[in-house]
Amino acid sequence: MKSHTIKMFIFVIFTILLNYFGKLFAETLSLPFWFDSLGTVLAAYVLGPFCGAVVGVSCNVIYGVVYSPLNILYAFVSIFIAIIVGIASKRKYLETVFGIFSVSFFLAVSCVFVSVFLNYKFFNGNIGNVWGDGVATFLSNFGINKFLSHIVGQFYLEFLDKVITMFFLFASIKCFRYLKIKSIKKIKKCKKENLYKKDLQHLFLLFYFFNY
């Protein structure tokens, strides 16, 4: 029990760091992604939506303390992500490529809804990413409504990010299952070899006994 708790604790710390450094990596290179929910989806799949939400919120709090307190507000986005992935996992929606794309789209729409509201409430609609803001500015210059432009700019980022994030989760699940099956086969093979050795030992003892 204690060993299981320690493993779970290490896993949670790993997922929080994955979120934090993913976000830092994307911002440093000015990528058209967030990369701040890789750990959240992993935790939500393995440990459930509550733990996924804890991981996501923890990253938002850490990033808010280190950089800007307003980042903490986007913890609501992390909670939405954890809940959706947790539910999708229980309903077996993450077993196929189609399911992954469908959940990615739903995540993107949900994140746009929450993020655009927060963007207008605290940042005058600015998305906070050079690519997303660039798309919004480009559309505004063509006379498209500012609010709609920001929605499209946010969706541009969110959809790319969520597709990559969910395929990261999909690949992680497949790799884990492959390694688990390989490990089970190896254990079975070892057991068979041990049984074979025991049979040989028994035969040798019988042979020795009757000859004696």
Side-chain angles (χ1 to χ4, degrees), residues 7 33-34 52 66 69-70 82 96 123 154 171 178 189 192 194 196 201:
K7 285 178 181 177
F33 322 108
W34 298 117
V66 175
L70 288 174
T96 63
F123 300 105
Q154 188 76 43
Y178 172 76
K189 188 179 178 182
K192 283 182 180 179
N194 288 333
Y196 180 67
Q201 287 171 358

Side-chain angles (χ1 to χ4, degrees), residues 39 96 140 151 209:
T96 63
S140 294
I151 289 175
F209 175 78

Side-chain angles (χ1 to χ4, degrees), residues 34 74 115-116 119-120 123-137 149-158:
W34 298 117
Y74 289 86
S115 297
V116 169
N119 291 345
Y120 268 90
F123 300 105
N124 197 31
N126 292 325
I127 296 165
N129 179 286
V130 65
W131 292 83
D133 286 322
V135 169
T137 302
S149 297
H150 281 129
I151 289 175
V152 174
Q154 188 76 43
F155 183 79
Y156 170 82
L157 280 175
E158 296 293 351

Side-chain angles (χ1 to χ4, degrees), residues 1-205:
M1 184 69 181
K2 189 178 179 182
S3 175
H4 176 72
T5 304
I6 292 169
K7 285 178 181 177
M8 193 168 73
F9 177 75
I10 292 170
F11 176 75
V12 168
I13 295 299
F14 168 74
T15 52
I16 291 171
L17 291 175
L18 188 62
N19 274 357
Y20 180 81
F21 286 108
K23 183 176 176 67
L24 199 63
F25 174 76
E27 285 195 352
T28 302
L29 297 180
S30 297
L31 298 175
F33 322 108
W34 298 117
F35 279 173
D36 61 348
S37 54
L38 298 170
T40 303
V41 299
L42 201 56
Y45 180 85
V46 176
L47 303 174
F50 178 77
C51 285
V54 169
V55 168
V57 171
S58 298
C59 180
N60 286 114
V61 170
I62 293 168
Y63 215 80
V65 170
V66 175
Y67 293 97
S68 169
L70 288 174
N71 276 291
I72 298 171
L73 295 167
Y74 289 86
F76 289 106
V77 178
S78 299
I79 292 169
F80 265 85
I81 292 169
I83 291 170
I84 292 167
V85 172
I87 293 170
S89 172
K90 285 184 178 180
R91 295 187 178 181
K92 307 295 182 184
Y93 293 156
L94 306 179
E95 302 298 318
T96 63
V97 173
F98 176 76
I100 289 292
F101 266 115
S102 300
V103 174
S104 299
F105 179 80
F106 190 65
L107 279 173
V109 172
S110 302
C111 291
V112 167
F113 177 78
V114 179
S115 297
V116 169
F117 172 78
L118 292 171
N119 291 345
Y120 268 90
K121 185 75 176 174
F122 299 100
F123 300 105
N124 197 31
N126 292 325
I127 296 165
N129 179 286
V130 65
W131 292 83
D133 286 322
V135 169
T137 302
F138 175 79
L139 293 174
S140 294
N141 290 338
F142 273 89
I144 295 173
N145 179 272
K146 186 181 177 182
F147 181 69
L148 184 60
S149 297
H150 281 129
I151 289 175
V152 174
Q154 188 76 43
F155 183 79
Y156 170 82
L157 280 175
E158 296 293 351
F159 186 66
L160 286 172
D161 179 67
K162 298 309 175 283
V163 167
I164 292 171
T165 299
M166 292 308 296
F167 268 96
F168 162 78
L169 176 62
F170 186 69
S172 299
I173 294 166
K174 294 297 181 185
C175 286
F176 174 76
R177 287 177 181 171
Y178 172 76
L179 292 172
K180 189 178 180 181
I181 291 168
K182 196 174 180 182
S183 177
I184 291 168
K185 284 181 178 178
K186 192 175 181 180
I187 291 167
K188 285 181 178 178
K189 188 179 178 182
C190 288
K191 283 182 178 178
K192 283 182 180 179
E193 287 176 354
N194 288 333
L195 286 171
Y196 180 67
K197 285 178 183 177
K198 284 181 180 179
D199 288 340
L200 286 175
Q201 287 171 358
H202 291 154
L203 284 170
F204 177 77
L205 287 169

